[in-house]
Amino acid sequence: MLDSRMETFLAVCRHLSYTRAARELYITQPAVTQHIRFLETHFGCRLFVYEHRKLRLTPEGDLLYRYGRDARATGELVRQQMAALSGGKPELRLGATLTIGEFTLAPVLSPFMEAFSSHSITLYVDNTREMLSMLEAGTIHFALIEGLFNREHYHSRLLKMAEFVLVVPSGHRLLSLPRVLLEDLRQEQLILREPGSGSREVLQQALYDRNLTLDFFPRRMEIGNVSLTKHLVRCGSGISFMYRDALTDPDTSAGLCVVPVEGFSILREFNFVHLNTSLATEFCDPFYRFFREALQT
Amino acid sequence: MLDSRMETFLAVCRHLSYTRAARELYITQPAVTQHIRFLETHFGCRLFVYEHRKLRLTPEGDLLYRYGRDARATGELVRQQMAALSGGKPELRLGATLTIGEFTLAPVLSPFMEAFSSHSITLYVDNTREMLSMLEAGTIHFALIEGLFNREHYHSRLLKMAEFVLVVPSGHRLLSLPRVLLEDLRQEQLILREPGSGSREVLQQALYDRNLTLDFFPRRMEIGNVSLTKHLVRCGSGISFMYRDALTDPDTSAGLCVVPVEGFSILREFNFVHLNTSLATEFCDPFYRFFREALQT
DNA sequence: CTATTTCATAATTTAAAATTATCTATAATA
DNA sequence: TATTATAGATAATTTTAAATTATGAAATAG
């Protein structure tokens, strides 16, 4: 159970604004000022500097922030475990990024719910950025993540390696080429995910590694949903990149072909991620083992 | 930073008494009652049961206690790291049990202080029980422990294996025997450590494993200091058991001989122990690596 | 059976914390 | 350059929370 002034501090860190933190906590701005002042006196150092109308964490503040986030999440976990002890069903809240949630997880989800039927399970599906902020807020216990994230701040374990591949409609001209180079895709209509999506960043990073940017493709359109993207590719509206896992369901993958692009193979990790605290590690361990085995196929 | 009502809760757990917790915290007993009541409402469960004039933790209370101790220690660690960031010397407080502190540590202590000269170092030497309570209170960051402890509640890593041996003065009759059995020691004056000492428990446990108790030795005396024990053995006042490490210093070990006792060899672990939190693990890691290497000889 | 100890409860006082109102500094805008 | 808007600091006041005092009930020890 975190001191209430620490809760205020965490809110200010999230918003980098006293005023907005106050709004979130339903208190007034001077109350926030007092809380921060108290902590600064308590720890004997400044936590924020306010200059050029911008609030910035000091190194000390940053350390306190990282501690506070973990302490808060740990406290939440304990609270739930106590509730579980007192007779209530233990809660399990997990998150998954879009491809994993929609495709990778589909075949293992019902065995999972069965294996942990003693828990009350909630699954959130959203992009990588949202997963990380839900972890920090204690909204979810762990996340299955396909995108890149700052490894220092989280505890992550490899679930599986996943291929990121080019998808075209069957009968597409690229399929008749003996070999396909990146250059051959240039004039195609490319369908890609929205900014903030892990899949988009994977493609961006792969291009960046070859000294390219998305501008390499002059014809682009953005679609924030993988199933819709598949539909559009099937209709001949463009080509796209996605994880091979998104193509395992035969019903929705008919009429789609994977084309290997020479010198442009992309292999990414799917990770099991949670906060780097011993309690979280202990709590998440059985779930990790389940997914690790189930996805090993 | 722990909520103040949690601090009260921890004090009540330590004393198992509202009244004494109140005294420790310099508040009145009804204030303690209010704090506990608040927590019980907050978590939706009872934390203590009071019956037969005894206070007892409920299972929920016990869970909260284990969490709270760790949270408190972690908070303290963060506070110190922040102080270190703000320019102060980082503090390092460690503990060692008596044999380790007095003998095992002696040859590596000055290299240790040199290696971590950027830290302000404090070393406490006391028995195992005290080490554990200092860990829980956050007084020390880690301890080098020779005795037995509850492994569930702490994170421990092996430093070295240590032999527990019989020591007699040179020229003692046992030295002339071709082989020495436990039975041969029976009539000797045995010098042993005080209750609560890890060394005493080692001997007790070894006897217990052979269906014996300390009463096997009718002539016993208790000395709470290893150097003094060595002196007494040298003077022929008795024989004793101690870790071989206590005999490495040639100055104070002259005139003492180790006698192997058939079927009574005792091998014990020296462990590096700290609280089971990720922050503590991270913080202690360089120190562990130092001792592990230094004591490997 | 009485005295003593320990926690619970209620009423009162005290202290802490939040709010309102105001001020200052900075940057964007006219 | 003057003006306005925004964000945070400060001070005084009000409100809320928390601590204390005083007392009561239960249980054990003498």
Side-chain angles (χ1 to χ4, degrees):
Chain A
M1 226 201 131
L2 215 52
D3 187 279
S4 68
R5 290 159 292 206
M6 276 295 293
E7 296 283 358
T8 302
F9 170 70
L10 294 178
V12 175
C13 289
R14 283 194 294 273
H15 295 293
L16 285 178
S17 157
Y18 283 36
T19 311
R20 277 187 286 161
R23 265 203 288 277
E24 181 192 315
L25 300 168
Y26 300 107
I27 57 177
T28 56
Q29 169 262 314
V32 173
T33 302
Q34 284 189 58
H35 285 180
I36 302 302
R37 183 89 51 80
F38 171 89
L39 292 174
E40 288 182 332
T41 306
H42 177 78
F43 290 109
C45 59
R46 299 298 305 274
L47 297 172
F48 296 101
V49 284
Y50 183 58
E51 54 186 18
H52 308 302
R53 296 191 70 165
K54 282 253 164 64
L55 218 50
R56 201 180 71 239
L57 275 166
T58 61
E60 291 86 354
D62 189 64
L63 180 66
L64 191 64
Y65 181 40
R66 281 181 283 140
Y67 153 73
R69 274 178 356 196
D70 283 359
R72 189 181 199 290
T74 306
E76 273 307 298
L77 205 50
V78 167
R79 187 176 178 164
Q80 287 159 32
Q81 288 189 1
M82 288 176 67
L85 260 185
S86 298
K89 253 193 172 182
E91 272 200 58
L92 171 61
R93 296 188 300 272
L94 65 151
T97 45
L98 296 187
T99 296
I100 294 181
E102 205 171 345
F103 302 101
T104 312
L105 227 46
V108 302
L109 205 55
S110 69
F112 179 79
M113 312 244 306
E114 205 165 309
F116 297 102
S117 59
S118 59
H119 291 68
S120 151
I121 299 175
T122 312
L123 170 65
Y124 297 85
V125 177
D126 211 318
N127 67 31
T128 302
R129 193 191 298 164
E130 280 304 308
M131 286 301 112
L132 298 180
S133 78
M134 286 170 100
L135 273 178
E136 290 183 15
T139 311
I140 55 175
H141 298 116
F142 62 86
L144 310 176
I145 290 188
E146 65 207 47
L148 302 165
F149 57 92
N150 186 339
R151 275 169 196 279
E152 277 180 44
H153 294 6
Y154 306 92
H155 182 105
S156 76
R157 296 184 269 189
L158 183 66
L159 275 177
K160 66 179 285 185
M161 298 301 297
E163 250 185 302
F164 201 68
V165 295
L166 173 64
V167 181
V168 304
S170 55
H172 193 272
R173 67 167 185 93
L174 287 169
L175 289 165
S176 56
L177 296 181
R179 54 198 199 116
V180 175
L181 297 172
L182 199 54
E183 187 58 39
D184 295 321
L185 313 179
R186 183 147 201 175
Q187 291 313 315
E188 295 290 332
Q189 169 73 45
L190 179 71
I191 303 173
L192 76 162
R193 287 275 301 282
E194 81 285 1
S197 144
S199 292
R200 182 193 175 103
E201 279 176 21
V202 169
L203 181 61
Q204 254 174 331
Q205 185 63 40
L207 289 168
Y208 180 82
D209 291 345
R210 285 154 189 80
N211 261 318
L212 299 172
T213 68
L214 283 177
D215 291 329
F216 177 77
F217 299 98
R219 301 170 58 204
R220 300 193 302 267
M221 78 191 285
E222 295 181 358
I223 302 291
N225 177 289
V226 184
S227 293
L228 195 50
T229 301
K230 285 166 71 178
H231 177 76
L232 289 170
V233 172
R234 193 183 302 110
C235 295
S237 302
I239 66 173
S240 185
F241 285 90
M242 61 186 63
Y243 284 105
R244 195 183 274 279
D245 276 32
L247 299 161
T248 44
D249 178 29
D251 291 342
T252 63
S253 302
L256 297 177
C257 298
V258 170
V259 178
V261 180
E262 265 200 29
F264 198 70
S265 72
I266 309 174
L267 207 59
R268 286 288 167 185
E269 297 179 353
F270 282 4
N271 279 297
F272 184 99
V273 181
H274 54 75
L275 290 181
N276 189 18
T277 66
S278 59
L279 196 63
T281 306
E282 190 182 318
F283 177 83
C284 292
D285 208 58
F287 309 115
Y288 169 68
R289 287 210 306 276
F290 180 94
F291 282 119
R292 173 83 218 205
E293 278 199 20
L295 297 178
Q296 208 52 271
T297 50
Chain B
M1 224 202 135
L2 215 51
D3 186 281
S4 69
R5 290 159 293 206
M6 276 295 293
E7 296 283 1
T8 303
F9 170 71
L10 294 178
V12 175
C13 289
R14 282 193 295 273
H15 296 292
L16 285 177
S17 156
Y18 284 36
T19 311
R20 275 188 287 162
R23 265 203 288 276
E24 182 191 315
L25 300 169
Y26 299 107
I27 57 178
T28 56
Q29 168 263 312
V32 174
T33 302
Q34 285 188 60
H35 284 179
I36 301 303
R37 182 91 52 80
F38 171 88
L39 293 173
E40 289 183 330
T41 306
H42 177 79
F43 290 110
C45 58
R46 299 296 306 273
L47 296 172
F48 296 101
V49 285
Y50 184 59
E51 53 186 19
H52 307 303
R53 294 189 72 167
K54 282 254 164 67
L55 218 50
R56 202 180 69 239
L57 275 166
T58 61
E60 290 87 354
D62 188 65
L63 179 66
L64 190 64
Y65 181 40
R66 280 181 283 141
Y67 154 72
R69 275 180 353 198
D70 282 359
R72 187 179 199 291
T74 306
E76 271 308 296
L77 204 50
V78 166
R79 188 177 178 161
Q80 288 161 31
Q81 288 188 2
M82 288 176 66
L85 260 184
S86 297
K89 254 195 172 181
E91 273 199 57
L92 171 60
R93 296 189 299 273
L94 65 151
T97 45
L98 296 187
T99 296
I100 294 182
E102 204 170 347
F103 302 100
T104 312
L105 228 45
V108 301
L109 205 56
S110 69
F112 179 79
M113 313 243 307
E114 203 165 311
F116 298 102
S117 59
S118 59
H119 291 68
S120 150
I121 299 175
T122 311
L123 169 64
Y124 296 86
V125 177
D126 210 319
N127 67 31
T128 303
R129 193 191 297 163
E130 279 305 307
M131 286 301 113
L132 298 180
S133 79
M134 286 170 99
L135 274 178
E136 290 183 16
T139 311
I140 55 175
H141 298 117
F142 62 87
L144 311 176
I145 291 187
E146 66 207 45
L148 302 164
F149 57 93
N150 186 339
R151 276 167 196 279
E152 278 179 45
H153 294 4
Y154 306 91
H155 183 106
S156 77
R157 295 185 268 190
L158 182 67
L159 274 177
K160 68 178 284 187
M161 298 302 297
E163 252 186 301
F164 201 68
V165 296
L166 173 64
V167 182
V168 304
S170 54
H172 193 272
R173 66 166 185 94
L174 287 169
L175 289 164
S176 56
L177 296 181
R179 55 198 198 119
V180 175
L181 298 172
L182 199 53
E183 187 58 38
D184 296 321
L185 313 179
R186 184 148 200 175
Q187 291 314 317
E188 295 289 332
Q189 170 73 44
L190 179 71
I191 304 174
L192 75 163
R193 287 274 302 282
E194 80 286 2
S197 142
S199 293
R200 182 193 175 100
E201 280 177 20
V202 168
L203 181 60
Q204 252 174 335
Q205 185 63 40
L207 289 168
Y208 180 82
D209 291 345
R210 287 154 188 82
N211 261 317
L212 299 172
T213 68
L214 284 176
D215 290 328
F216 176 79
F217 298 98
R219 301 171 58 204
R220 302 194 300 267
M221 78 189 285
E222 295 182 359
I223 302 291
N225 177 289
V226 183
S227 293
L228 194 51
T229 301
K230 284 166 70 177
H231 177 76
L232 288 171
V233 171
R234 192 183 306 111
C235 297
S237 302
I239 64 173
S240 186
F241 285 90
M242 60 186 63
Y243 284 105
R244 194 183 276 280
D245 277 31
L247 298 162
T248 44
D249 177 28
D251 291 341
T252 63
S253 302
L256 296 176
C257 297
V258 170
V259 177
V261 181
E262 265 199 30
F264 197 71
S265 73
I266 309 174
L267 208 59
R268 287 286 167 186
E269 297 179 351
F270 281 3
N271 279 297
F272 183 99
V273 181
H274 54 77
L275 289 182
N276 190 18
T277 66
S278 59
L279 195 64
T281 307
E282 191 183 317
F283 177 83
C284 292
D285 208 57
F287 309 115
Y288 169 69
R289 287 210 306 276
F290 180 94
F291 282 120
R292 172 84 218 204
E293 277 200 20
L295 297 179
Q296 208 52 271
T297 48

